[in-house]
């Protein structure tokens, strides 16, 4: 909905071929992944119950960038593509991102002050997600639980340096962001932080599901976290023309002129469906299938390819025996 690169020669995109219903066999329990625990914090929603209420009420949780974060108005310029300025001053912001009880997790206050708040938030929501699954997090030691975290920015290191503090090498490391909870709870599965931009959390979920299906792990903690603590990311996105000038997303609308950044942290606990049923775990939902690919060459590195996305859908439907006619909702 927004041009982020100079105009390029039109690339012909062919309409995807009609998807023939696959031989719809019921997915095997070994392939189906159960969501047994979940937790999250989102703009104007300190927990998932509040988040669902906001959705049901159609609440708009976008507001002006909080002044205590950084003075957005001092950088404001309504003209796009101006270096060192922003034309969007809106954000879906999480409250209380500085709140953390370090001693509960056995972390010294001095160490916690140097930790990226994204690490702190993920540790907190991971703990809550395990509790939601009915597990005592501190009793998971030595378990084959993998951790897969989608994480992009690290503004906190920039803030520390701006205030004369040396950025802590572990507290501000993306690699440590995933392994922090493994260290605290003595988990023995892989701990992987990954950044594939907007798809990071979904790619993390796919990798976790694959590891469960292949028997590499018995339990997975999957999450994603994003905070905007400095104007740096806004400078880049506004220079590229990515953001909406009036601070409103208009998806699938002719008036669409960009998106609005949003913060969030979420965590899921995943398990093979058969194992979850045998253990009597609570099951919030199931993941029947997933797949990933890349768009390849398009008319811009951030521009999607409808053809490649349709190919991925067909591939996943065929591999897992899914009849597209049975899909009732697509986002």
């Amino acid at each position: 909905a927004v041009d982020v690169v100079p105009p390029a020669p039109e690339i012909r995109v062919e309409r995807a071929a009609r998807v023939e219903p696959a031989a719809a066999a019921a997915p095997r329990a070994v392939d189906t992944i159960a969501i047994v625990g979940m937790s999250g914090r989102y703009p104007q929603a300190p927990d998932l119950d509040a988040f669902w209420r906001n959705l049901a009420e159609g609440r708009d949780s976008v507001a002006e960038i909080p002044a205590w974060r950084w003075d957005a108005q001092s950088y404001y310029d309504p003209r796009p593509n101006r270096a060192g300025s922003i034309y969007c001053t809106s954000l879906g912001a999480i409250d209380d991102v500085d709140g953390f009880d370090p001693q509960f997790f056995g972390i010294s206050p001095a160490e916690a002050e140097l930790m990226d708040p994204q690490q702190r938030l993920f540790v907190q929501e991971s703990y809550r997600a395990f509790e939601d699954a009915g597990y005592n997090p501190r009793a998971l030691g030595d378990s084959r639980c993998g951790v897969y975290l989608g994480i992009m920015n690290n503004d906190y290191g920039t803030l520390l340096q701006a205030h004369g503090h040396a950025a802590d090498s572990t507290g501000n490391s993306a690699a440590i962001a995933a392994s922090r909870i493994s260290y605290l709870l003595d988990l023995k599965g892989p701990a992987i932080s990954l950044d594939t931009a907007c798809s990071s959390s979904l790619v993390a979920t796919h990798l976790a599901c694959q590891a469960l299906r292949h028997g590499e792990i018995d339990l997975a903690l999957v999450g994603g976290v994003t905070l905007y603590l400095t104007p740096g990311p806004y400078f880049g996105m506004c220079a590229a023309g990515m953001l909406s000038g009036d601070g409103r997303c208009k998806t699938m609308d002719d008036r669409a002129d960009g998106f609005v950044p949003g913060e969030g942290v979420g965590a899921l606990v995943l398990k093979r469906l058969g194992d979850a049923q045998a253990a009597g775990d609570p099951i919030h939902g199931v993941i029947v299938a997933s797949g990933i690919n890349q768009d390849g060459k398009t008319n811009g590195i951030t521009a999607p390819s409808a053809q490649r996305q349709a190919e991925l859908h067909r591939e996943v439907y065929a591999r897992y025996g899914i009849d597209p006619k049975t899909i009732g909702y697509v986002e």
Side-chain angles (χ1 to χ4, degrees):
V2 58
D3 292 328
V4 295
V5 293
E10 181 179 353
I11 292 180
R12 183 169 176 264
V13 178
E14 298 178 358
R15 182 179 295 276
R18 180 178 181 272
V19 180
E20 295 297 335
R28 299 178 302 163
V30 69
D31 289 330
T32 302
I33 305 301
I35 301 170
V36 299
M38 59 185 184
S39 182
R41 287 175 57 186
Y42 301 96
Q44 299 179 10
D47 54 40
L48 291 184
D49 287 339
F51 178 65
W52 289 121
R53 284 197 301 271
N54 288 348
L55 288 176
E57 296 169 2
R59 184 174 182 178
D60 185 345
S61 298
V62 171
E64 285 290 298
I65 296 169
W68 65 268
R69 296 286 189 95
W70 44 279
D71 184 7
Q73 289 299 325
S74 67
Y75 300 102
Y76 178 73
D77 188 329
R79 298 167 294 179
N81 305 318
R82 307 282 293 183
S85 68
I86 61 174
Y87 61 84
C88 175
T89 60
S90 299
L91 172 67
I94 298 181
D95 296 327
D96 194 31
V97 297
D98 55 340
F100 185 65
D101 183 356
Q103 295 177 337
F104 178 84
F105 296 102
I107 300 172
S108 72
E111 181 182 3
E113 287 183 1
L114 298 178
M115 283 173 56
D116 181 354
Q118 295 179 128
Q119 285 198 28
R120 302 182 218 151
L121 287 170
F122 182 60
V123 164
Q124 290 172 318
E125 296 311 309
S126 297
Y127 205 93
R128 293 187 177 112
F130 281 129
E131 290 182 323
D132 182 69
Y135 301 146
N136 177 357
R138 301 187 187 279
L140 293 173
D142 208 33
S143 64
R144 293 204 313 160
C145 178
V147 180
Y148 302 80
L149 173 65
I151 184 170
M152 289 173 52
N153 303 321
N154 177 14
D155 290 348
Y156 197 62
T158 303
L159 277 178
L160 288 174
Q161 292 175 358
H163 288 81
H165 299 285
D168 179 63
S169 58
T170 57
N172 289 272
S173 163
I176 297 296
S179 57
R180 174 82 62 180
I181 191 69
S182 298
Y183 171 77
L184 293 175
L185 299 182
D186 193 29
L187 310 179
K188 297 303 172 64
I192 302 173
S193 297
L194 63 149
D195 177 3
T196 59
C198 304
S199 62
S200 298
S201 296
L202 289 176
V203 173
T205 302
H206 173 75
L207 295 179
C209 289
Q210 293 295 81
L212 284 165
R213 290 184 178 113
H214 293 153
E216 298 170 5
I217 56 176
D218 298 320
L219 193 66
L221 174 69
V222 182
V225 61
T226 294
L227 294 177
Y228 292 90
L229 304 178
T230 73
Y234 271 69
F235 290 156
M237 290 184 289
C238 285
M242 291 181 172
L243 302 188
S244 170
D246 64 2
R248 293 295 176 268
C249 296
K250 309 171 192 69
T251 308
M252 305 301 177
D253 193 306
D254 287 339
R255 300 171 301 144
D257 62 351
F259 69 93
V260 180
E263 298 180 332
V265 53
L268 298 177
V269 179
L270 306 181
K271 205 171 182 180
R272 289 181 290 269
L273 177 60
D275 293 345
Q277 291 172 327
D281 293 326
I283 298 177
H284 296 292
V286 296
I287 300 172
V288 175
S290 63
I292 57 176
N293 73 349
Q294 225 286 337
D295 289 322
K297 183 70 173 178
T298 64
N299 65 340
I301 196 166
T302 63
S305 166
Q307 181 179 352
R308 295 291 184 269
Q309 292 184 9
E311 289 172 356
L312 178 62
H313 282 229
R314 289 199 300 269
E315 178 184 327
V316 171
Y317 297 155
R319 181 185 303 132
Y320 290 92
I322 296 172
D323 184 346
K325 292 179 179 177
T326 64
I327 297 173
Y329 178 84
V330 174
E331 180 177 357

